[in-house]
Amino acid sequence: MKKLLLGNEAVARGLYEAGVRVASSYPGTPSTEITEAAAKYAEIYCEWAPNEKVAAEVASGAAIGGARSFCAMKHVGLNVAADPLFTMSYIGVNAGMVLAVADDPGMHSSQNEQDSRHYARAAKLPMLEPADSKECKEFTKLAYELSEEFDTPVILRLCTRVAHSRSIVEEEDWMERDLKPYEKAPAKNVMLPAFAKGKHPKVEERLLKLSQWAETSGINRVEDNGAPISVVTSGISYQYVKEAMGDRVNYLKLGMVYPLPEKLLLDFGKKASTLYVVEELDSFLEDQLKAMGITVVGKEKFPRCGELSQKLVRKILCGEEAKSLSLDASLPVRPPAMCCGCPHRGVFYALKKEKVMVSGDIGCYTLGASAPLEAMDTCICMGASVSALHGFNKARGETGSEQRSAAVIGDSTFIHSGVTSLIDIAYNHSNSVVIVLDNSITGMTGHQQNPTTGYNIKGDPAVSVDLEALCRAVGIRRVRVVDPYDLKAVTAALREELAAQEPSVIISRRPCVLLKYVKHSPPLSVREESCIGCKACLGLGCPAISLRDNKAWIDPTQCVGCGVCSSLCPKKAIG
Amino acid sequence: MNQVTSVLIAGVGGQGTLLASRILGYAMMQEGYDVKVSEVHGMSQRGGSVVTYVRFGNEVHSPIIETGEADVLLAFEQLEAARFLPYLKPGAALVANTQKIDPMPVVTGTAQYPQGLFESIEKLGIRVTAVDALSLAEEAGSSKAVNVVLIGAMARQMSFPKEIWLDALKHCVQEKFLELNQKAFQLGWEA
């Protein structure tokens, strides 16, 4: 049956058809939908793990245990999962193991633009890169065959435009796979130095065999159009070149971007008068081709930053540029904003009013950095809000920083890697204030369950982490819960904990306003005769409130009646 | 020659542009075309400008649309229509909702919502079809059906039989909302 599937859904379909039994992931744009879609197949056990390292280890254990296994993550998640990955490269597999990583060139929803292809080289693992949904499914299935044939985990690399684009996929049947027998094999599975020393040469040998396989496998495909110009490319970049150049160039489309087929590349390069390498982000292919002694044109023409496109390729290769229209008007920008009734808003408002240095983290609440709240000083990576605040206070404690700084971190992010940082605060003692923004869901990636929500990936009831007890158990004595809709209580808690002479945790607890079970109150309105146009309510940056004829106005179609604005009104004009 | 039609769907996060792109994509696949739909997920969905690309033809390679490449712009909001105007080919068509949603700089009073946008766009040689999709959606039973009203308005201008759209609707919309959306589509088709 033909279906119009997201690249991510096509990977999930590939998992199903390949008889995968265990999948463990942590959500991260643009990879999230793979595991969400996989969870719809009863044949695949799926779970949301607390973080990517845990997910990759679960997949490792399952593969050793004889089940085809899988884990997915965004590019920065692979940094977290890198530790097990590098050693699984030595151990190899029993049943096949595939790790999907989704890069985000252009940073549509990410904090950096790292090129995950470097991990394949660093961990000495094969990496496949599909160019559309059809290939997402095919390559996923092929990855399991390679994994078992060459005794190696395989990395499947996607990017936003492949992961989040729909194209036509022909569905095939489920292949039942028996659990492979498990036998104790310490020399294979226990990476003591003595055993690992035996393994490393095998890993090097495996890479050579894989590059031999890549010479003739068909996953690396030559399209000879008899043109003088030739292009080596892969993944989404292939689509852009194909769109821009059609039959005007010859192609070597690499389906496997590591290890590379040297002979195939040398032969292809010899026939070209000019050989281009077209790849997004780093000069990953280009550097390897140059090391083979092949003369190529790459990053001196193509950018290292941001996404490519057919337009950019056409401009660079042919100097052609389509005309575009422009309006002679300046248009106000429309950046993303916290939703109306978002429980994070009140906390950021209080932090701004109290002039607190805010150590931020990754999630919807990173939008607290935007105008008009502008209440975030730093944002590095998942969990860093807590540990970086500790470091900040160790550096600047003598200046009284502990009384003027706080970390903000969401419930899912806190479980991901904030809790280890909190242990550092307790153990190595700084009077740091950590605010856990507990909205009972993983919000930014589109509402995934996590260990604090009480439900699993299938929506079935599960054990939930008791955040207050967890914080106390690691040695934080001052733990309190506030309702972020109650601005007075938030401000009072903040002042008290900043003044305290010991570390503390404030849990700001209210479920995400977009959750289906959350009941909205009737919309509020402004009594025009009472409003003095002081704009105090506008300081919240609520999309429902604007100024009309110098009076505040609340859009009744957007307002969910959270009431935070009415508590700010000096004339009690909102109700 | 490989003829590909490019439709750019622009709106504000939360307006349902994804469903609109899925209905269009499914309908074109059923018509026998190769189809690519590029979606946006993640942070930009939170009330920011969102854009979805739908491309169909004999063979579609790139899933994205660049400036100067779109045949149709389906805009869910006036300001977004203007923002994505540079993506249209000269002489292309704009089907736009007349609804205005204030962006944050307008909300906070640091910018004004521009006036007379459709008139300025028409002066550039773009065929503008303006539809009050919000009122029609409310008439159909829910303000959330703006997306399907707009699909109806755009479908009317394309040369495909109405049945393929109704079939796509049936496939893409939850059964309990189907009747409402069929009504919304009809109101858009007639607009």
Side-chain angles (χ1 to χ4, degrees), chain A residues 480-558:
Chain A
R480 58 198 289 177
V481 179
V482 292
D483 176 358
Y485 279 0
D486 185 346
L487 266 187
K488 271 191 192 139
V490 172
T491 307
L494 192 58
R495 285 182 183 164
E496 281 174 36
E497 298 313 324
L498 285 169
Q501 291 303 307
E502 60 179 301
S504 56
V505 172
I506 302 171
I507 298 169
S508 162
R509 180 167 288 148
R510 188 170 266 278
C512 171
V513 70
L514 298 182
L515 282 166
K516 287 213 172 78
Y517 67 79
V518 172
K519 296 259 183 302
H520 296 171
S521 302
L524 302 178
S525 60
V526 180
R527 278 183 298 280
E528 227 178 279
E529 65 281 8
S530 309
C531 176
I532 52 168
C534 71
K535 302 182 187 174
C537 51
L538 289 177
L540 285 168
C542 175
I545 313 174
S546 57
L547 213 57
R548 288 194 171 179
D549 303 324
N550 276 326
K551 305 257 180 189
W553 178 76
I554 297 176
D555 179 353
T557 65
Q558 293 202 66

Side-chain angles (χ1 to χ4, degrees), chain A residues 380-397:
Chain A
I380 308 169
C381 66
M382 302 273 287
S385 58
V386 180
S387 22
L389 176 68
H390 176 68
F392 187 83
N393 284 335
K394 285 295 173 193
R396 302 187 63 81

Side-chain angles (χ1 to χ4, degrees), chain A residues 115-129:
Chain A
D115 188 333
S116 295
R117 293 177 300 172
H118 297 295
Y119 273 105
R121 196 173 182 186
K124 300 175 189 289
L125 290 172
M127 177 180 267
L128 307 185
E129 187 179 28

Side-chain angles (χ1 to χ4, degrees), chain A residues 274-286:
Chain A
T274 312
L275 182 64
Y276 288 95
V277 178
V278 183
E279 57 188 325
E280 276 181 337
L281 303 179
D282 296 341
S283 52
F284 180 77
L285 300 173
E286 180 184 344

Side-chain angles (χ1 to χ4, degrees), chain A residues 404-424:
Chain A
R404 295 191 304 273
S405 64
V408 289
I409 184 166
D411 47 320
S412 186
T413 312
F414 181 70
I415 295 296
H416 177 282
S417 46
V419 64
T420 41
S421 305
L422 186 67
I423 291 170
D424 195 34

